[in-house]
Amino acid sequence: METTAAAQSEFKDGLAAGTGIAIGYVPAAITYGLLAKSAGLTFIETMSLSIFVFAGAAQYIALSLITIGTGIFEIVLTTFILNIRHFLMSAALSEKTEEEPIWKKAAYSFGVTDETFSVAAMKSGSIHSSFMAGLILISYSSWVLGSGLGYVAGNAMPPVVQESMGIALYAMFIGLLVPSLKTSLKAVLLAATAAILNCIFTYSGALSSGWAIIISTLIASISVEMAGRAREKGGIE
Amino acid sequence: MSMTMTAIVLGMTVVTYIPRMLPFVLLKGKELPSFWQSILQNVPYATLGALIFPSILTFHEDPSFALIGAAAAFLIAFTGANIIITVLGSIGILTVLSLFL
């Protein structure tokens, strides 16, 4: 184990960077706990999904599929399709990681979610495993504890606050994006293109939400890059 | 835990972990062509756009409530505030708003 001051400071940075995620996960986790209870899951089953899967959208969808009596294979396949987008996110993160033993990366990759990915990807500089450990620990704790809280005593929080807290994760995404939008036209184009494509795919019903995010992200990333390069070439000639 | 639930938890765990883990293991020490490196550097910005829209419009039954929250977050972030302030500020503004509506 590394116990150097540098690693400790990375860990603390990770905890601090994950605080926004932890706040955002609370209402989502409480809702999940409530839904799991109403879907007839036991406390152990509810917690097992949060502890081992740690993927909010997949857990919600699994609950609705369990409720309507869907088979095991279809639930697992749906989860896979929904979460294959993390492949793309991990690939993007792996470009930024520091040289470290592969087991450390394999360990922290468990905690790659839309939110931890976004925070790690927008971090300046390279990514250290201690940073990821802090980031994931605080996010994961919030998700697991919130799930249990939702199951046991979900209605304790005032409904007004519960409703408003639904904005938390989106506010975080916006907060992560805005500093780049201020300085980079490319970032604006990337985010806008992907957002528009995802709206089209989602509202047309052409793709499930998991695939819609992957395909819009890929098309936006590739087309903006190609347009940029074509323009650069044109400028030189 | 029932056999069915055990199988569901196990299956979901495996198919969620594998896509998260594989790129870190497969891409280790490999230099991708510069075009693909650029694509991967573009991914975070595009992903954020796709994560925000359209699902932000559906977190609340009233889309204008969601849009006010989004505008609040955007303005707070635009002033250079850090993420926590942006998150708490947006929650606060929406809470105050819904108390008065």
Side-chain angles (χ1 to χ4, degrees):
Chain A
M1 283 294 282
E2 275 178 287
T3 49
T4 60
Q8 275 182 23
S9 119
E10 286 279 355
F11 182 74
K12 279 182 193 158
D13 287 351
L15 286 177
T19 311
I21 302 177
I23 296 169
Y25 277 177
V26 171
I30 288 179
T31 311
Y32 161 75
L34 270 171
L35 289 176
K37 192 176 189 176
S38 64
L41 269 66
T42 66
F43 183 74
I44 301 286
E45 290 165 351
T46 305
M47 296 305 278
S48 299
L49 279 174
S50 286
I51 289 168
F52 295 114
V53 181
F54 185 40
Q59 289 176 232
Y60 281 120
I61 288 172
L63 286 182
S64 66
L65 294 178
I66 290 167
T67 312
I68 59 172
T70 312
I72 298 168
F73 178 75
E74 285 148 290
I75 294 176
V76 172
L77 185 66
T78 309
T79 305
F80 179 67
I81 292 169
L82 193 66
N83 287 341
I84 204 166
R85 70 183 185 283
H86 293 141
F87 185 88
L88 197 59
M89 298 182 187
S90 287
L93 278 189
S94 72
E95 287 280 301
K96 277 186 76 179
T97 54
E98 281 178 21
E99 275 298 315
E100 282 185 291
I102 211 155
W103 67 265
K104 285 191 177 177
K105 296 182 182 179
Y108 70 63
S109 71
F110 170 78
V112 174
T113 64
D114 296 348
E115 295 77 19
T116 56
F117 158 76
S118 303
V119 169
M122 292 296 155
K123 174 186 183 282
S124 57
S126 59
I127 298 170
H128 190 271
S129 59
S130 300
F131 175 83
M132 289 304 283
L135 177 70
I136 291 163
L137 179 71
I138 191 167
S139 314
Y140 182 73
S141 308
S142 163
W143 181 250
V144 172
L145 295 176
S147 305
L149 195 69
Y151 193 90
V152 176
N155 290 319
M157 216 193 300
V160 170
V161 181
Q162 271 186 48
E163 268 189 11
S164 307
M165 282 183 87
I167 193 70
L169 291 178
Y170 299 107
M172 189 188 74
F173 291 145
I174 292 169
L176 287 169
L177 198 49
V178 165
S180 316
L181 298 184
K182 282 165 84 172
T183 56
S184 153
L185 175 66
K186 196 181 184 186
V188 176
L189 288 174
L190 284 165
T193 309
I196 292 166
L197 288 171
N198 197 34
C199 288
I200 294 171
F201 293 142
T202 306
Y203 287 127
S204 67
L207 295 167
S208 71
S209 67
W211 282 110
I213 291 175
I214 301 171
I215 305 287
S216 352
T217 299
L218 274 178
I219 296 179
S221 302
I222 293 171
S223 62
V224 169
E225 190 63 33
M226 285 173 72
R229 292 192 177 205
R231 202 160 155 240
E232 255 171 45
K233 257 191 194 156
I236 292 162
E237 280 161 10
Chain B
M1 189 151 59
S2 72
M3 280 299 288
T4 310
M5 266 312 292
T6 309
I8 291 173
V9 172
L10 210 71
M12 286 179 68
T13 303
V14 171
V15 299
T16 307
Y17 180 60
I18 284 175
R20 286 169 169 170
M21 174 270 293
L22 272 185
F24 288 105
V25 175
L26 292 181
L27 299 176
K28 186 188 186 279
K30 291 206 179 80
E31 273 291 301
L32 290 173
S34 89
F35 179 74
W36 287 102
Q37 281 185 29
S38 308
I39 299 298
L40 288 178
Q41 283 159 15
N42 288 348
V43 161
Y45 304 100
T47 311
L48 282 169
L51 287 175
I52 297 169
F53 288 102
S55 61
I56 191 170
L57 302 172
T58 52
F59 93 84
H60 194 270
E61 58 216 6
D62 181 1
S64 60
F65 189 77
L67 283 177
I68 292 168
F74 188 89
L75 289 175
I76 298 170
F78 205 81
T79 64
N82 74 30
I83 302 282
I84 311 296
I85 305 291
T86 306
V87 169
L88 293 178
S90 314
I91 295 172
I93 287 170
L94 286 184
T95 305
V96 171
L97 195 72
S98 53
L99 285 176
F100 284 98
L101 289 182

